C-alpha cells in the first residue's frame, strides 16, 4: 500500500491494489505519468473520489454553458460526470470492481468498472476519461492513452479471473469505433460488442505497445504496464 497522503503539496492519493503504470500524451505539452489503482473502501479514498467527482461535475457544467464547445463533447463530458458519480457511490457501498487512473498530481484522469454477468464472461460497464482531457475541449487538449490503458489493465484482471469473453455496450458510434479498433465485434442484438478467447483478450494488453494511440504521429503512449515506467 502507498501512503494515504503525499508529502509534496499534500496531494490526496488513492490507496488499494496497484494494477499498473503508464504514460499518456497530448499533441502538445509534456506527457502524464499515471498509476492504475483498484481502490479499497476507506474514508480518505471516499473523500478523494468525492473531491474529484465535484471537479468533473464542474467541468461538465462549464462545457454545457460554453457555446464554443461542440454538443457532442458537452454530452460526453456529462456522461463522464454521471459515470464518476455512479462509481463513487459504488465505492461508498463497498463495490470495488473498478480501475482508477490517477496522475502524479492526484487528479483522477480516467476510471472504469467491470463485472462478471456469467461465469466465463466479463463485462466492461463504464469507461470514462476526465472531461478536461476529452477531444474538442479547450486548454491542454486531449490526453491520449488513458482508455487504452484502462482496457489493458482490465484485461489482466479478466485473465486472472479465467474469463473467456469480454462484452461492452458502446455509448455511441465514436465509442464503438474505439472498441472495434481493439478487436471487438458485433455480438448478439443491438449495439453489443464482444471479444472471445484468451488470445483476443491478451491482444488488448498488447495494443498498448503494438497498436498504441499516436496523437498527430507523435510520441507513443505506454499504458497498463504492471511495472513502474
Amino acid at each position: 500500500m502507498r501512503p494515504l497522503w503525499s508529502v509534496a503539496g499534500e496531494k490526496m492519493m488513492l490507496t488499494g491494489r496497484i494494477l499498473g503504470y503508464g504514460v499518456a500524451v497530448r499533441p502538445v505539452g509534456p506527457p502524464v505519468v499515471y498509476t492504475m489503482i483498484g481502490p479499497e473502501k476507506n474514508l480518505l479514498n471516499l473523500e478523494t473520489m468525492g473531491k474529484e467527482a465535484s471537479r468533473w461535475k464542474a467541468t461538465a457544467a462549464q462545457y454545457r454553458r460554453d457555446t464554443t464547445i461542440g454538443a457532442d463533447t458537452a454530452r460526453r463530458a456529462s456522461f463522464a460526470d454521471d459515470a464518476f458519480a455512479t462509481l463513487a457511490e459504488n465505492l461508498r457501498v463497498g463495490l470495488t470492481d473498478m480501475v482508477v487512473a490517477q496522475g502524479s498530481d492526484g487528479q483522477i484522469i480516467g476510471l472504469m468498472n467491470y463485472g462478471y454477468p456469467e461465469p466465463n464472461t466479463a463485462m466492461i460497464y463504464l469507461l470514462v476519461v476526465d472531461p478536461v482531457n476529452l477531444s474538442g475541449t479547450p486548454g491542454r487538449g486531449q490526453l491520449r492513452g488513458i482508455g487504452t490503458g484502462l482496457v489493458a489493465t482490465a484485461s489482466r484482471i479478466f485473465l486472472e479471473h479465467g474469463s473467456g469473453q469480454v462484452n461492452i455496450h458502446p455509448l455511441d458510434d465514436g465509442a464503438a469505433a474505439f472498441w472495434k479498433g481493439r478487436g471487438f465485434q458485433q455480438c448478439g442484438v443491438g449495439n453489443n460488442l464482444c471479444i472471445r478467447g484468451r488470445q483476443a483478450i491478451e491482444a488488448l494488453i498488447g495494443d498498448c505497445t503494438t497498436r498504441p494511440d499516436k496523437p498527430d504521429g507523435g510520441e507513443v503512449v505506454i499504458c497498463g504496464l504492471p511495472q513502474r515506467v
Side-chain angles (χ1 to χ4, degrees):
M1 296 296 178
R2 296 181 305 163
L4 295 176
W5 294 84
S6 101
V7 175
E10 294 288 303
K11 302 184 201 63
M12 296 178 68
M13 305 296 289
L14 294 171
T15 58
R17 181 186 177 192
I18 303 301
L19 301 168
Y21 301 90
V23 179
V25 297
R26 299 187 177 93
V28 178
V32 174
V33 177
Y34 63 84
T35 303
M36 291 290 189
I37 305 167
E40 60 191 358
K41 179 185 176 181
N42 61 49
L43 291 178
L44 285 178
N45 276 0
L46 294 178
E47 184 179 351
T48 299
M49 290 285 283
K51 177 182 176 182
E52 284 294 277
S54 296
R55 183 177 65 81
W56 283 40
K57 179 178 288 295
T59 302
Q62 175 189 340
Y63 291 172
R64 288 193 295 270
R65 295 190 300 267
D66 191 338
T67 57
T68 66
I69 292 177
D72 183 64
T73 300
R75 181 178 63 85
R76 284 179 167 270
S78 293
F79 176 78
D81 164 33
D82 291 342
F84 198 128
T86 297
L87 269 60
E89 176 61 17
N90 284 358
L91 186 61
R92 188 190 69 79
V93 299
L95 301 177
T96 58
D97 285 343
M98 66 179 72
V99 181
V100 180
Q102 186 172 36
S104 57
D105 60 358
Q107 290 193 348
I108 293 174
I109 56 178
L111 70 169
M112 65 171 292
N113 74 325
Y114 58 88
Y116 304 98
E118 299 176 16
N120 192 46
T121 301
M123 179 82 183
I124 297 175
Y125 293 110
L126 295 169
L127 189 157
V128 288
V129 173
D130 185 349
V132 168
N133 296 313
L134 293 172
S135 60
T137 59
R140 295 176 296 173
Q142 183 180 10
L143 188 62
R144 301 292 298 275
I146 298 303
T148 306
L150 286 165
V151 173
T153 300
S155 296
R156 288 192 176 89
I157 296 172
F158 300 153
L159 291 175
E160 289 177 3
H161 191 267
S163 299
Q165 178 170 317
V166 180
N167 295 345
I168 183 74
H169 184 84
L171 171 65
D172 53 26
D173 290 344
F178 172 87
W179 294 108
K180 289 178 180 178
R182 280 146 184 82
F184 282 75
Q185 299 178 354
Q186 195 73 28
C187 185
V189 297
N191 296 325
N192 293 322
L193 302 176
C194 72
I195 56 171
R196 294 188 176 99
R198 183 179 183 90
Q199 185 175 359
I201 299 174
E202 289 176 342
L204 296 177
I205 301 170
D207 278 351
C208 283
T209 52
T210 61
R211 194 171 48 173
D213 294 315
K214 292 187 67 176
D216 298 336
E219 187 176 3
V220 174
V221 304
I222 304 171
C223 57
L225 298 180
Q227 70 272 18
R228 184 176 296 277
V229 297

